[in-house]
Amino acid sequence: MQRLRDVLRRLSPRRGADSGDRELRADGSEQTDRLRGSSELRSDGGVATAEETPTETGRWQSLLSSDFVQSIPFWLPPFLLMGFFVYGAIGWNLVISLTDFEGLLLPEYTVSEFDLEMYRRALSDPSFWTAAQNTLVLLVAFTAVCLLFGLLLAILVDQEIRFENTLRTIYLLPMSLSFVVTAKFWAWMYNPQIGMINVTLRQLGLDFLTLQWISNPDTKLAAVIFALIWQFSGYAMVVYLAGLRAIPTAHYEAAKVDGASTAKMYWRVILPQLRASTMSAAVVLMVFALKAFDFLYVMFGNNPGPAADILATMMFREAFGSNNWAYGSAIAIVLFGMALAVVAPYLYSEYRRGEL
Amino acid sequence: MAELTLDGVTKWFEDDGGRIVAVDDARVEIEDGEFLVLVGPSGCGKSTTLRMIAGLETVSDGDIRLGGRTITDEPPTTRDIAMVFQSYALYPHMTVRENMSFGLEESTDMPDDEIRSRVEETAAMMGIEDLLDRKPGELSGGQQQRVALGRAIVRDPEVFLMDEPLSNLDAKLRSQMRTELQRLQEDLGVTTVYVTHDQTEAMTMGDRIAILNDGKLQQVGTPLECYHEPRNVFVAGFIGEPSMNFFDVDLRNGSLVAEEFEYLLSDETLADVEGHDRLVLGIRPEDIELVGEGEGRHDFRTAVDVVEPMGDENNVYLTFADADRAVATDEETETFVATVSGLRSVESGQKVVARIPEEAIHVFDRETGEALHNRKLDRTEVPQPNI
Amino acid sequence: MSSPPASPNPDDHTRRERIEQTIRDADRTRVALYAILLGLVGFYLAPLEAGLMTAFKTTDAFNRTVPFLPPVADGFTFEPWEIAFSEMSNALVNSLLLAVPATVLSAGLGSIAAYGLTTIDWKYQTALVALFVAGIFIPYQAVLVPLSRLYAIVNTQELLSFLWGLPMMHEHYASIINLIVTHVAYGIPITFLLFRSYYQTLSDEMIEAARLDGASVFSIYRNIVLPLSRPIFAVTLIYQFTQIWNDLLFALVILPSGGGAAAPVTIALNSLTGGIVESFNTQMAGAFVAALPTLLVYVLFGEQFAKGVAGET
C-alpha cells in the first residue's frame, strides 16, 4: 500500500517546470528516490508499457544517476563563477589588447580592426623594456635569495631547538601582513634621515654606508627586493621544513655511518631530496613577486620610476593612470605570458607525477 | 528469492588505447542464503568482481541479476546490498549508533523509533550494545570489525558483500571471528559473497568457493570438490596447504616418465589421459606414504632433505635418490613434500621409500593445465555441506 | 599558541637523539645556533618594533630619537592612534563587511567544488582540476581592465536599488558587493586546492560505504564529508580572511577613485598621511590598526595559517 502511494506520488507531474527540475538535480537524495521508485516499477512489470525499452531506460537511468551527473551541481556553479572571472576576463583582456581602446570612450570590438599594434608599441617602448627587465630581476633575485635564506632558516630550525614553534611563528609573521602595511613599515625603515637603517648605521659609525635607499636608482630595486625577502622568506622556511621532516631518518643515519660531515651530509644527501620543495616554493614565490604591485604602489605611488618600475605597475599606470586601456591590456598579457611560462611546466610536472 | 547471478560479467579498463581485462566473462549463480567465497591471488580480479556487484564499479559487459531483477546499471544506492570493507570504513565523526542508523535513515522511510530498536537489537546480537555511544576512534580493531558487520546486518539487505573483512585482525581474533561470521550468516540466511586471498579462509567458510585467476573464473564448487576434483593445475596448486606436488612428465608406453622416475599407470587412468602425452602429475602431500621398505611399482626410493615439524604433523621434503644414479647433484635437487604424522620421527638425510598411490594422483595436461584425471573418492564420503 | 606539527614518531626521536648527541659534543655550536636564531628574531621583528615605538611618539620625538627606542617623557603620545582610528574606523567596518562574507563564500564554494571533483571519479576530472588550480597563479593585472569594464556595465547599485531603502543599508554597499563577488571568484582556486588535497586523504572506502548505505551524492556531502571538513575549513577561512583583508589591488580598480565611502582599510591606510609633513607616527599607528585583525588571527591560529601557506604548494 505504502509502495503504491509512493508510486502514485512519483508519477504525478512535477510542480513548476524549470525550477522544479533544477531542484531535483541539485538535491541528489530526491533524485535517487525517484530512481528507486521507477526501478521498483520495472521489477513489478506492471507499468512497463509506459516506459521505453528496458535497455534504453536503463541507460538513461544510469546516465542520470551516474556520478558525473550528480557531481555537476557541486562543481559547476563554482567553476562557472571562477571560469568567468579568471578565464573569461583573460580572454576579454586579450580582445581589448587587440583594439585601440583608450581615453574616456567605450571600447569598440570590431574584429576587422583587431591588430597587434599595442604589442608593437610595447616592443618599441623603452620603458616597457626597462619594466620587463626589472620584473625579471625582481623575479629571479627575490626567488633565489628567498629560497636560499629559507633553506638556511629551515636547517637551523630543524636542529631540535627549544621554542621552535615560537620562532617559526615569528619568522612567518610578516607574511600575514598586507603589502600596504609592510610598505609603510619599510618606507619608514628606509627613510634617509630618521629611518631605522640609516640611524643604526650612523650609531655604529658606518656613516659612509648610509644611502638614500629608496630614492637612489642604484639601490631602489634592491631595497624593494630586500623588504620582500623579509616578508616571504618565512614562507620558504615553512616549505623546506616540511620537506626536511619528510626525509626518512635512515638517510641521516646512513650518511653519518658513511662518515660524512654535517655539511657534506646536507649537500650530498639532504639537498637533492628537497627538489620537490624547492620547485613548489619557487613557483609560489614567483607568483608573489608578480603580485608585488601593492607594495610598490604604496611605496612609490603610480610611478616608481625607471629603476623600480615593473610590468605590473606599468600596466596599472598606463591603464588606470593614463587611460591607455588597450596598451595596459597588452602589457598585462605579456605579464600573463610570463606567469604561464613559470606555472605551466610546474603544473604539467605535477600532473605527470599524478599529483593534480 | 535473493539469488545473485553473474552472467558473463566482464570488466575492462581502457589504457592508452589498449584494453586491460580485469574480469573476464564471470558466470556464477549464487543461491539464496548461500555463502560464496571468491578467492584468488592478489590482482586476480576478485575485488573488482565484488565492487561490480556492489555497483561501485561499472560493468563493461554482461549482466548482474539479483532475485531475477537486473541490477547491472543500477546505482549502488538502490541495489539493497550491504558491504563490509577491509578497512571497516566506519564514519569517524559518528557514534556507533549513528554509524548503524545511517543506512536505514538514508535508504528507508523507517520511523526513528523503529530504527532505534533495530539498531539496538542488532547491537545486542553482535555484543556491542555497550559501545553504541562511542565513536570508532575509541574502539579496538575487533570492536570496529563488529560495528562494521553490525552496520551491514542492521540494514537487512538481500546480499552481504565482504571484502577481506578479517585481514586487519590478529591471527587469534581472526579465527574466532571466522566462526562467528559463519554462524551469523547461517542464522540470518542472507546471500553472502566473501572475498579473500586466504585459501584457508575460503576452505573453512564457504558453502562454495569460486577461484579466480587472471580475471578468469577457474572453478566454482564446494570446498571439497575444489580440493579433491580441481578443474586445472591452478586450482589444484592454489587450494591446499602445503600445495600439491607437481611433476612434469611425458606419457611413454603407459608410464609417466620424468627425469628421475617412471610411474606406471593402470588402464583405467590411461583411458582418461589418452591423446595427451605432455602431462603434469600431481599428488597431495598427505597422500604420499612413507614406508620403510617397498618394491611396489608406485614405491620410490627417496632421501629426506628437510623436515618441518608442525607439531601435529611433519612436512617432509624429499628428493629422489635413485641408488643407481647416485650422483647427488646437490645444486638443483628438486624436492617434493609429504605430510606425515607428527609423532613419527623422520630425520634429514634418512633414506625412505615414498609410496604414491595411484588412486590419489591427479594428471593434468601440461599445455592447457586442464585436469584429465582426478583422484578417486571412493574411499572418502564427500559430505554435503550445502543443506 | 600554535602547537608543533612534528609528530612524536619514533624515527624522529632517534634522529633527534643523534643530533642532540652531535650537539652535546659541540656546545659552542649550540650557543652560536641560538645566537643566530635570536638575531633572526630581531631581523623579522625590527620593522614592527620600530613602527610600534614610533606610533607612540610625538612628531618632534620621532624626528629626533632613535626609531627603535621607546618614547620618553614628553615624547610619548596617544595622538597618532586617535587620528588613525578616527580616520580609519569606517574603513575597518568596510573591510569587515567585505572580508567576512567573501571568506565564507569562497571557502564554501571551494569546498563543494573540491567535493564534486574529488570523491567522484570522472574521466575529464583532471582537466577541470588543472583549470581550477591554474587560477591560483594568474597575475591579476591580466584581468584588471575587464574587471573595470565589467563593473562599468553591471551597475550593482541600480540592480539592487530596492535594498538601499532598507534600514542599515547604504548605497556604497553596492561597491562592497562588487568587491565580495570579485574576491569570492578569485578565491575559489586556492580554496579549491586546499579542500581538494584534504578530501583526497579521506578514505575512499568510507565514501563507498556511505553510497552503499543509500546516501545520495548530496547526502554524503552533507552528512559525511562536511562534518569531517572542520579542520580544513579552519585553515581555509583563516588563510582567505588574511588574503582578502590585505588586498589593495582589487579595491583600487573596482571602487570609485579614492575608494569613496566603501574604501577598505588598505585604501584608507594608503591615503593616511596625517598632515602636511610626513607624519610617520600616524602612519605607523595606522599600519597597526590595519594589521590588527590579521595579526590577531595569525597569533591565535598560527598553525592553521602555516598549513594554508604550505597548502599553496
Side-chain angles (χ1 to χ4, degrees):
Chain A
M1 204 53 204
Q2 174 64 36
R3 179 185 283 193
L4 186 65
R5 265 207 306 279
D6 283 351
V7 168
L8 286 176
R9 187 160 55 85
R10 275 156 193 151
L11 282 180
S12 64
R14 280 178 265 129
R15 60 235 131 95
D18 274 350
S19 61
D21 195 25
R22 196 139 36 84
E23 230 171 84
L24 276 177
R25 294 235 263 127
D27 182 345
S29 63
E30 180 125 359
Q31 184 187 4
T32 45
D33 266 354
R34 199 156 49 87
L35 286 172
R36 164 166 282 220
S38 66
S39 74
E40 277 168 4
L41 280 185
R42 271 203 297 138
S43 66
D44 291 353
V47 203
T49 45
E51 300 189 24
E52 300 160 68
T53 62
T55 51
E56 262 180 59
T57 318
R59 222 167 278 149
W60 181 80
Q61 257 187 12
S62 73
L63 182 73
L64 244 191
S65 60
S66 74
D67 296 343
F68 167 59
V69 173
Q70 294 203 17
S71 73
I72 286 178
F74 287 90
W75 59 260
L76 192 61
F79 181 74
L80 288 179
L81 181 65
M82 183 278 298
F84 172 75
F85 272 88
V86 174
Y87 299 103
I90 290 172
W92 192 355
N93 188 88
L94 184 67
V95 170
I96 291 176
S97 77
L98 299 174
T99 66
D100 302 327
F101 176 34
E102 60 179 43
L104 299 173
L105 300 168
L106 290 176
E108 277 176 40
Y109 304 108
T110 322
V111 179
S112 55
E113 284 175 21
F114 283 176
D115 54 30
L116 297 174
E117 191 198 322
M118 292 303 153
Y119 295 92
R120 259 179 251 124
R121 179 166 153 192
L123 293 181
S124 55
D125 182 350
S127 61
F128 169 80
W129 286 108
T130 322
Q133 195 189 336
N134 287 340
T135 307
L136 269 179
V137 171
L138 176 73
L139 216 63
V140 173
F142 163 74
T143 310
V145 180
C146 250
L147 287 177
L148 201 67
F149 196 52
L151 176 63
L152 288 175
L153 269 179
I155 292 176
L156 289 179
V157 171
D158 194 35
Q159 302 301 324
E160 177 57 8
I161 47 162
R162 302 177 70 187
F163 313 115
E164 182 194 313
N165 288 305
T166 317
L167 288 175
R168 239 175 20 144
T169 308
I170 291 171
Y171 296 163
L172 191 60
L173 184 124
M175 198 184 157
S176 73
L177 299 175
S178 167
F179 274 125
V180 185
V181 171
T182 57
K184 287 281 177 196
F185 281 144
W186 282 94
W188 170 225
M189 293 287 284
Y190 283 135
N191 184 289
Q193 284 83 41
I194 52 173
M196 180 155 155
I197 290 180
N198 280 359
V199 169
T200 313
L201 287 173
R202 268 185 228 116
Q203 299 248 319
L204 294 172
L206 300 167
D207 292 55
F208 61 95
L209 275 177
T210 59
L211 289 171
Q212 308 257 339
W213 300 102
I214 48 173
S215 38
N216 182 343
D218 293 337
T219 56
K220 210 182 214 177
L221 191 57
V224 168
I225 292 174
F226 185 79
L228 292 177
I229 289 167
W230 169 81
Q231 195 170 357
F232 290 108
S233 47
Y235 166 75
M237 176 204 68
V238 167
V239 175
Y240 275 127
L241 202 55
L244 284 173
R245 297 264 151 97
I247 295 173
T249 319
H251 293 207
Y252 290 85
E253 278 159 4
K256 279 289 169 200
V257 170
D258 289 348
S261 68
T262 307
K264 223 174 191 166
M265 175 185 78
Y266 273 104
W267 182 251
R268 302 276 301 273
V269 181
I270 306 304
L271 270 192
Q273 299 191 56
L274 291 174
R275 196 172 296 163
S277 305
T278 306
M279 184 115 149
S280 54
V283 169
V284 174
L285 287 171
M286 284 190 200
V287 172
F288 279 130
L290 288 169
K291 288 179 182 173
F293 166 85
D294 286 12
F295 187 90
L296 287 155
Y297 182 82
V298 174
M299 204 167 236
F300 303 109
N302 229 343
N303 193 351
D309 200 17
I310 60 172
L311 288 176
T313 47
M314 181 187 181
M315 178 271 157
F316 188 85
R317 185 172 63 249
E318 288 294 344
F320 296 93
S322 321
N323 292 343
N324 293 326
W325 305 105
Y327 189 37
S329 297
I331 297 168
I333 289 293
V334 174
L335 193 59
F336 173 69
M338 285 174 81
L340 208 61
V342 170
V343 169
Y346 172 70
L347 283 183
Y348 184 69
S349 80
E350 288 283 284
Y351 168 71
R352 288 296 297 271
R353 283 163 52 208
E355 294 197 355
L356 211 59
Chain B
M1 178 219 153
E3 71 274 5
L4 179 67
T5 311
L6 306 191
D7 187 1
V9 170
T10 301
K11 174 73 186 179
W12 61 70
F13 299 98
E14 305 287 344
D15 181 60
D16 289 332
R19 215 177 238 190
I20 298 166
V21 179
V23 178
D24 191 5
D25 195 29
R27 287 172 199 277
V28 200
E29 284 191 24
I30 305 154
E31 284 165 38
D32 184 24
E34 188 179 351
F35 195 120
L36 180 91
V37 178
L38 263 179
V39 66
S42 58
C44 71
K46 56 190 190 299
S47 282
T48 310
T49 309
L50 196 73
R51 292 168 57 80
M52 283 193 285
I53 300 172
L56 297 172
E57 206 78 71
T58 57
V59 178
S60 309
D61 199 12
D63 267 324
I64 300 173
R65 283 189 293 275
L66 179 58
R69 171 172 68 115
T70 305
I71 56 167
T72 319
D73 293 321
E74 266 186 42
T77 319
T78 63
R79 293 189 181 198
D80 204 5
I81 277 172
M83 185 157 166
V84 179
F85 292 88
Q86 185 173 1
S87 66
Y88 314 142
L90 299 173
Y91 313 123
H93 59 296
M94 296 185 186
T95 61
V96 169
R97 183 190 300 281
E98 287 163 338
N99 262 284
M100 290 175 71
S101 318
F102 186 70
L104 290 176
E105 285 162 5
E106 291 294 321
S107 60
T108 65
D109 301 331
M110 204 178 279
D112 286 352
D113 48 344
E114 199 183 332
I115 291 181
R116 199 183 165 80
S117 65
R118 259 176 83 164
V119 166
E120 278 165 10
E121 250 169 59
T122 312
M125 183 168 77
M126 297 299 300
I128 50 172
E129 62 268 54
D130 297 338
L131 309 177
L132 278 175
D133 295 313
R134 297 217 212 146
K135 290 194 175 169
E138 304 161 23
L139 306 180
S140 71
Q143 290 171 328
Q144 291 188 27
Q145 162 75 65
R146 277 166 195 276
V147 175
L149 277 172
R151 182 173 70 176
I153 290 168
V154 77
R155 286 196 35 217
D156 189 20
E158 300 210 54
V159 179
F160 282 139
L161 303 178
M162 306 198 181
D163 191 358
E164 311 231 5
L166 305 182
S167 62
N168 283 351
L169 300 177
D170 61 55
K172 199 168 165 226
L173 201 51
R174 184 157 50 209
S175 67
Q176 189 188 326
M177 280 307 287
R178 209 146 66 191
T179 339
E180 194 167 334
L181 242 176
Q182 262 175 300
R183 203 204 63 220
L184 259 173
Q185 196 270 343
E186 249 165 59
D187 291 352
L188 297 167
V190 177
T191 315
T192 302
V193 183
Y194 185 105
V195 158
T196 181
H197 65 272
D198 179 354
Q199 60 94 22
T200 320
E201 229 166 70
M203 288 292 288
T204 52
M205 295 181 80
D207 291 337
R208 284 194 300 160
I209 56 184
I211 298 139
L212 264 167
N213 187 36
D214 271 345
K216 289 201 179 73
L217 213 46
Q218 306 291 319
Q219 183 165 4
V220 184
T222 65
L224 290 182
E225 270 168 23
C226 295
Y227 189 79
H228 292 303
E229 295 166 25
R231 280 246 300 273
N232 55 36
V233 172
F234 178 81
V235 175
F238 189 78
I239 301 289
E241 176 64 38
S243 294
M244 186 185 280
N245 296 296
F246 294 114
F247 306 95
D248 284 355
V249 291
D250 292 327
L251 183 64
R252 268 181 234 147
N253 307 324
S255 278
L256 299 176
V257 182
E259 225 174 275
E260 286 140 323
F261 67 93
E262 277 192 40
Y263 193 95
L264 191 66
L265 293 182
S266 66
D267 291 346
E268 203 184 330
T269 316
L270 265 177
D272 284 345
V273 302
E274 212 194 328
H276 308 263
D277 46 9
R278 294 165 58 75
L279 304 167
V280 174
L281 169 68
I283 180 81
R284 293 221 177 259
E286 69 271 23
D287 289 328
I288 301 178
E289 292 167 51
L290 297 190
V291 291
E293 275 304 314
E295 289 296 330
R297 52 182 188 167
H298 295 146
D299 292 347
F300 301 93
R301 287 200 279 169
T302 58
V304 177
D305 189 22
V306 180
V307 182
E308 270 180 10
M310 310 292 286
D312 56 339
E313 51 185 30
N314 289 324
N315 293 336
V316 184
Y317 291 81
L318 304 164
T319 53
F320 285 101
D322 200 312
D324 305 337
R325 285 187 278 163
V327 204
T329 44
D330 274 342
E331 62 274 8
E332 288 211 29
T333 42
E334 264 189 58
T335 61
F336 60 102
V337 195
T339 317
V340 298
S341 159
L343 294 173
R344 191 163 156 191
S345 110
V346 190
E347 272 169 36
S348 179
Q350 194 181 330
K351 304 269 187 227
V352 287
V353 171
R355 179 171 293 162
I356 300 178
E358 190 173 358
E359 66 267 22
I361 64 164
H362 300 257
V363 184
F364 307 92
D365 184 291
R366 211 189 306 168
E367 263 71 56
T368 63
E370 201 185 321
L372 304 170
H373 168 86
N374 276 326
R375 66 159 305 146
K376 290 205 186 78
L377 282 175
D378 43 15
R379 288 193 306 164
T380 41
E381 174 94 349
V382 181
Q384 289 295 310
N386 194 13
I387 298 173
Chain C
M1 223 192 303
S2 50
S3 65
S7 60
N9 102 44
D11 282 1
D12 263 18
H13 271 296
T14 51
R15 174 175 149 205
R16 299 241 156 103
E17 275 162 23
R18 184 184 46 70
I19 290 170
E20 267 173 352
Q21 184 57 48
T22 323
I23 283 164
R24 247 176 265 128
D25 295 345
D27 242 356
R28 258 180 298 173
T29 327
R30 199 73 182 157
V31 172
L33 174 69
Y34 278 107
I36 294 172
L37 290 170
L38 209 64
L40 286 166
V41 169
F43 169 65
Y44 283 108
L45 291 185
L48 297 166
E49 197 269 350
L52 196 62
M53 291 305 124
T54 307
F56 286 106
K57 288 176 185 173
T58 59
T59 309
D60 190 50
F62 81 72
N63 269 315
R64 285 163 196 280
T65 59
V66 177
F68 53 84
L69 292 181
V72 282
D74 58 342
F76 179 86
T77 175
F78 276 120
E79 205 195 339
W81 294 91
E82 282 157 20
I83 298 174
F85 260 116
S86 72
E87 295 216 352
M88 293 168 70
S89 56
N90 273 339
L92 279 170
V93 173
N94 287 340
S95 274
L96 217 56
L97 286 177
L98 154 71
V100 171
T103 301
V104 172
L105 282 173
S106 67
L109 289 172
S111 165
I112 60 170
Y115 170 70
L117 289 178
T118 306
T119 54
I120 290 147
D121 208 23
W122 180 48
K123 218 160 83 183
Y124 302 105
Q125 196 172 277
T126 325
L128 280 171
V129 170
L131 282 176
F132 269 107
V133 174
I136 299 169
F137 304 102
I138 300 301
Y140 291 144
Q141 263 67 21
V143 297
L144 292 184
V145 175
L147 270 186
S148 68
R149 296 300 316 143
L150 176 74
Y151 289 118
I153 296 166
V154 181
N155 190 334
T156 319
Q157 196 173 327
E158 265 177 33
L159 282 175
L160 299 176
S161 53
F162 60 92
L163 276 178
W164 313 134
L166 301 175
M168 309 282 292
M169 293 301 278
H170 302 282
E171 290 202 358
H172 70 258
Y173 287 177
S175 307
I176 293 184
I177 290 173
N178 289 346
L179 264 182
I180 290 174
V181 172
T182 313
H183 276 296
V184 169
Y186 292 107
I188 287 173
I190 180 66
T191 60
F192 171 85
L193 184 69
L194 289 170
F195 277 105
R196 181 173 152 83
S197 35
Y198 182 76
Y199 290 161
Q200 278 174 324
T201 66
L202 292 182
S203 141
D204 287 343
E205 290 196 342
M206 183 184 63
I207 305 291
E208 286 170 349
R211 288 171 63 190
L212 288 169
D213 263 347
S216 62
V217 170
F218 174 79
S219 164
I220 292 173
Y221 179 71
R222 171 73 195 77
N223 293 308
I224 311 284
V225 174
L226 196 57
L228 290 174
S229 302
R230 221 178 281 180
I232 193 66
F233 258 106
V235 168
T236 310
L237 289 173
I238 282 154
Y239 185 75
Q240 269 303 92
F241 178 79
T242 52
Q243 292 304 298
I244 294 171
W245 183 277
N246 288 343
D247 169 75
L248 171 74
L249 184 59
F250 285 142
L252 275 181
V253 170
I254 290 167
L255 299 184
S257 158
V265 80
T266 44
I267 296 256
L269 174 60
N270 186 38
S271 44
L272 184 75
T273 50
I276 304 144
V277 282
E278 255 202 306
S279 14
F280 282 114
N281 53 357
T282 314
Q283 289 191 17
M284 291 301 109
F288 275 104
V289 168
L292 203 64
T294 49
L295 275 179
L296 211 64
V297 162
Y298 179 74
V299 170
L300 290 177
F301 307 103
E303 188 63 24
Q304 277 82 359
F305 182 82
K307 273 189 194 153
V309 158
E312 229 178 61
T313 61

